[in-house]
């Protein structure tokens, strides 16, 4: 357990930051799931629209340190590639 005043404050900050990061990660996963469901259903237009909505969320999570920036780029890239490989519906 934290002994000093500064250590106790650090613990509070960490807990607050963790809560924010968990919420951001959860929101991002929801957006990614919508894209993947559209891909699975074979609806290219819906998938593209869902990716357009998800892209800034994923990128922002990379910038804010929730994920590594390259991980964010890779997720966006792989989703885009999967949509591009779909036949127009």
């Amino acid at each position: 357990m934290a002994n000093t005043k500064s250590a106790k404050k650090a613990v509070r900050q960490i807990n607050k930051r963790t809560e924010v990061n968990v919420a951001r990660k959860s929101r991002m996963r929801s957006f990614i799931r919508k894209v993947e469901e559209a891909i699975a259903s074979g609806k290219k237009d819906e998938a593209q629209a869902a990716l357009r909505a998800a892209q800034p969320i994923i990128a922002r999570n990379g910038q804010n340190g929730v994920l590594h920036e390259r991980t964010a780029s890779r997720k966006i890239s792989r989703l885009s590639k999967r949509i591009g490989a779909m036949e127009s519906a």
Side-chain angles (χ1 to χ4, degrees), residues 50-61:
L51 180 63
R52 273 196 301 276
Q55 210 164 343
I57 307 297
I58 298 168
R60 204 172 306 127
N61 278 339

Side-chain angles (χ1 to χ4, degrees), residues 17 20-22 24-29 32 54-77 79:
R17 186 94 254 123
V20 169
N21 285 344
V22 166
R24 285 178 175 167
K25 206 174 263 191
S26 174
R27 185 166 190 250
M28 180 188 66
R29 285 196 198 108
I32 291 172
Q55 210 164 343
I57 307 297
I58 298 168
R60 204 172 306 127
N61 278 339
Q63 289 171 341
N64 291 335
V66 178
L67 334 154
H68 196 280
E69 282 206 41
R70 290 188 193 132
T71 304
S73 293
R74 188 173 62 245
K75 285 182 181 295
I76 293 167
S77 175
L79 288 170

Side-chain angles (χ1 to χ4, degrees), residues 4-63:
T4 63
K5 190 174 182 180
S6 60
K8 288 177 183 176
K9 180 177 179 178
V11 169
R12 288 194 308 271
Q13 289 174 324
I14 290 165
N15 290 338
K16 192 188 295 184
R17 186 94 254 123
T18 300
E19 200 175 307
V20 169
N21 285 344
V22 166
R24 285 178 175 167
K25 206 174 263 191
S26 174
R27 185 166 190 250
M28 180 188 66
R29 285 196 198 108
S30 297
F31 275 89
I32 291 172
R33 188 168 42 253
K34 287 176 188 171
V35 176
E36 289 177 343
E37 285 171 358
I39 290 170
S41 66
K43 298 174 181 171
K44 189 170 185 172
D45 295 336
E46 269 185 42
Q48 286 173 330
L51 180 63
R52 273 196 301 276
Q55 210 164 343
I57 307 297
I58 298 168
R60 204 172 306 127
N61 278 339
Q63 289 171 341

